[in-house]
Amino acid sequence: MYELNSTVDGVSIKRAWRQLAWSRVSANVWYLGFTSLLTDVSSEMITSILPVYLVLHLHMTPLAFGAIDGLYQGVAALVRTGSGVVSDRLRRYKSVAVVGYAVSAVSRLGLLLVGARWAPLAAVVTGDRVGKGIRTAPRDTLIALSTVPDRLATSFGVHRALDAAGAMIGPVVAFGILAFLPGQFDLVFLTSFCIAIVGLAVTCPVRTDPARRRCRRTCGSCAGPRVPGRSERCVAEKADRRHASRN
């Protein structure tokens, strides 16, 4: 009877909850994860219907669609490296990531305005991928800075799970709208834009320098003038000491 009661009291429940790996993930990671979920819902709504919209609805030639699709797939990879360099130099990871999310959101609205004109449509589609390239590196850096080294895999796993969930939900929402309202592509674009704005708003509570704040709160060694990388090294050293004490 004693063992049964001890397993259901408040202390034991709290201890069991804390032992769950995902329950120890930083709030920053959850905010960024839900931002990625909503942004991927918005992005995949467009990606999934883009061939139908361009070829069947706007009667674009397969060659023109192939050119736009190539831009859509290739631009993010080209922008990603530059975004990482800029983020490291400015040390403003949240600001750069928010710019990327905002560029992608605005591009959704652009699809409502450009119509069937090839060049503006290509520019809007390219803008969406530019936004993705801008936000990826600083977002991943924020996740890393928000997490102690021995929980990095868990944090990135949580983020990727939410990201993948968004990629799954997006096409379902888009084709669900078209199933009930055939040909209403503008409604799909508007819905995608609204979801992207909500995702952008979720970034507001993200802390800009989580490693520095965590270090200052726990040991105070980073309370002086800001030195690039000092807080991250301090957090890593404390994690190493904690890991060594366990062994």
Side-chain angles (χ1 to χ4, degrees):
M1 179 64 69
Y2 174 78
E3 293 183 356
L4 179 61
N5 291 335
S6 66
T7 60
V8 298
D9 63 14
V11 175
S12 297
I13 292 174
K14 289 181 180 179
R15 185 181 299 114
W17 174 261
R18 290 170 183 170
Q19 289 174 350
L20 293 174
W22 57 267
S23 69
R24 296 178 292 173
V25 171
S26 165
N28 260 13
V29 177
W30 286 109
Y31 290 135
L32 292 169
F34 281 109
T35 297
S36 291
L37 184 149
L38 293 168
T39 303
D40 260 32
V41 170
S42 173
S43 179
E44 292 301 323
M45 285 178 67
I46 304 302
T47 303
S48 59
I49 67 166
L50 198 61
V52 178
Y53 176 68
L54 296 180
V55 177
L56 300 181
H57 188 71
L58 298 183
H59 305 290
M60 188 170 287
T61 65
L63 178 61
F65 168 70
I68 291 178
D69 189 59
L71 286 172
Y72 195 80
Q73 300 297 334
V75 168
L78 297 176
V79 177
R80 195 170 296 172
T81 300
S83 170
V85 172
V86 171
S87 300
D88 282 337
R89 294 206 174 175
L90 297 178
R91 310 291 293 180
R92 295 182 177 274
Y93 302 109
K94 178 182 175 180
S95 299
V96 177
V98 168
V99 169
Y101 285 115
V103 169
S104 293
V106 171
S107 71
R108 312 283 194 273
L109 195 60
L111 289 170
L112 291 169
L113 306 176
V114 298
R117 291 171 293 175
W118 189 91
L121 189 59
V124 168
V125 171
T126 302
D128 175 58
R129 294 295 93 181
V130 168
K132 181 176 178 60
I134 291 173
R135 68 179 180 257
T136 300
R139 180 203 64 203
D140 289 348
T141 303
L142 280 171
I143 293 173
L145 294 179
S146 303
T147 309
V148 294
D150 56 353
R151 296 179 191 168
L152 276 174
T154 301
S155 295
F156 277 101
V158 167
H159 178 268
R160 289 303 302 166
L162 293 170
D163 188 82
M168 177 188 68
I169 295 170
V172 175
V173 174
F175 283 103
I177 292 174
L178 294 177
F180 285 100
L181 300 169
Q184 294 297 315
F185 290 95
D186 286 353
L187 180 58
V188 175
F189 299 149
L190 183 60
T191 304
S192 174
F193 171 72
C194 293
I195 294 173
I197 291 298
V198 174
L200 182 62
V202 176
T203 63
C204 292
V206 174
R207 293 180 297 179
T208 55
D209 196 353
R212 179 179 173 84
R213 292 187 182 188
R214 184 169 64 247
C215 179
R216 185 169 53 197
R217 184 172 64 248
T218 55
C219 69
S221 63
C222 293
R226 181 171 182 168
V227 178
R230 181 172 65 181
S231 55
E232 290 86 344
R233 289 194 299 272
C234 180
V235 172
E237 290 171 1
K238 288 191 293 182
D240 290 340
R241 288 195 298 268
R242 184 171 62 253
H243 182 71
S245 64
R246 290 176 182 175
N247 296 333

